[in-house]
Amino acid sequence: MRIEGKEYRTIWFENNVVKIIDQTKLPHQFVIKELKTVKDAINAIKVMEVRGAPLIGGTAAYGLALAVQENNDSEFIKKSAKELIQSRPTAINLKWAVDRMIKKLTGINSNQLLNVALNEAKEICDEDEKFCENIGVNGLKVIEEIYNKKKDTVNILTHCNAGWLATINWGTATSPIYHAHKKGIPVHVWVDETRPRNQGANLTSYELNEEEIPNTIIADNTGGILMQRGEVDMCIVGTDRTLSNGDVCNKIGTYLKALAAYDNNVPFYVALPSSTIDWDIKDAKDIPIEERNSEELSHVEGIDENNEIKKVLIYPTKSKAMNLAFDVTPAKYVTGLITERGISEASSNGLKQLFKK
Ligand code: MRU
């Protein structure tokens, strides 16, 4: 998608380095950062220079290719794979991508390893782009249906950033929105700010602005009253891990939005590529929920009058704070799962029908 009119993907390999858009600097500064080693990739995932489940997966894949480039000894590659998987716990795409890379590299001659690793990392990213595009084509039908009934702007609420910046391109939750906009359907997006890291305000609103899609940032607690007032036609969110029974783990606050949507008969859709499905864990209680540094809550960042990024404390100095990064929305509150293969019911049967293999 576009930044200042120029097309970008979120990650690419060029001149022996991996290039990313440093998302900790957005929306105030646009900085392309180079990752030269697997340690750089691990750090980028940990400090959230890259974030969003599919992009974390893509970065882990390229991170492993960087490991091979540094040292193609199998012990080093195995250790790097383990460290990459541990860099963030909740998004299943991370382990999925590393496992896929390891499987591909197993049995390959050492003089071929780097080529194979780079090709597979690119393949993982290309596939994600294609899947996200298909999610858009499938989700477009839901937006079109609402528009055909309403004959007026479709108001869509989203939480966090499940946009193209969270994937390789298109996004998951935003892909149907981009497709609708390209088709001329008037859409307006309610963007949850998404405390504490403000991915909605800093990233979703930013990328929608760049594509000239009308959007309004709201405080995280505003969605409920908007739904009561009939000002939300549908919600679409992304997910970091969806269980085979349709339970959806996503950015903290998603569950409360789903409850409000359920109470107000607002359709609540979750958009995801199949790489975000966890076919192993059966009980949502077993999903590892990331707890991040409480400084993300107690401090906020912005630019001052000299355009310099500044961080300030907003809490009482003696207060404790707790920063759980994700929650789980039970399948019963989810209207449908928008995937690359079509839209399924959020249930074992629904997912089985789409993903028989
Ligand atoms: O902590 P983040 O910013 O990595 O969390 C991102 C989300 O929760 C997204 O909704 C999810 O990864 C889906 S991205 C297409």
Side-chain angles (χ1 to χ4, degrees), residues 48 51-54 88 160-162 166-167 172 199 238-240 250-251 326:
M48 295 173 65
R51 27 68 50 206
R88 278 192 84 188
C160 193
N161 173 262
T167 64
T172 57
Q199 290 95 327
T239 166
D240 288 80
N250 190 45
K251 181 54 56 195
F326 298 95

Side-chain angles (χ1 to χ4, degrees), residues 105 168 176 194 247 267:
L105 294 177
I168 308 305
T194 320
D247 286 351

Side-chain angles (χ1 to χ4, degrees), residues 227-279:
M227 292 186 211
Q228 286 173 326
R229 287 180 172 176
E231 291 183 50
V232 181
D233 295 305
M234 69 183 294
C235 303
I236 319 183
V237 300
T239 166
D240 288 80
R241 189 184 293 240
T242 286
L243 301 192
S244 57
N245 66 3
D247 286 351
V248 168
C249 180
N250 190 45
K251 181 54 56 195
I252 194 83
T254 303
Y255 171 48
L256 292 178
K257 275 323 117 64
L259 286 179
Y262 190 76
D263 193 43
N264 291 282
N265 287 319
V266 173
F268 188 91
Y269 284 92
V270 178
L272 66 150
S274 49
S275 50
T276 308
I277 303 172
D278 183 335
W279 298 101

Side-chain angles (χ1 to χ4, degrees), residues 3 21 27 50-51 55 63 80 87 127 135 138 143 156 160 184 214 221 249 296 324 344 348 354:
I3 292 176
I21 298 166
V50 287
R51 27 68 50 206
L55 179 56
S80 301
S87 57
E127 185 182 285
I135 287 168
N138 295 327
I143 300 178
I156 301 169
C160 193
N221 298 325
C249 180
E296 291 182 351
L324 289 179
S344 92
S348 316
L354 277 189

Side-chain angles (χ1 to χ4, degrees), residues 267-320:
F268 188 91
Y269 284 92
V270 178
L272 66 150
S274 49
S275 50
T276 308
I277 303 172
D278 183 335
W279 298 101
D280 296 327
I281 288 186
K282 300 292 172 222
D283 187 336
K285 288 194 200 78
D286 296 330
I287 298 176
I289 300 288
E290 180 176 19
E291 185 171 349
R292 295 186 62 85
N293 195 317
S294 63
E295 218 186 272
E296 291 182 351
L297 277 161
S298 59
H299 291 66
V300 291
E301 234 177 57
I303 46 166
D304 66 11
E305 62 281 2
N306 301 318
N307 273 345
E308 274 173 33
I309 295 182
K310 286 269 158 66
K311 200 185 224 185
V312 294
L313 172 71
I314 55 166
Y315 283 1
T317 44
K318 287 185 187 160
S319 295
K320 274 204 272 177

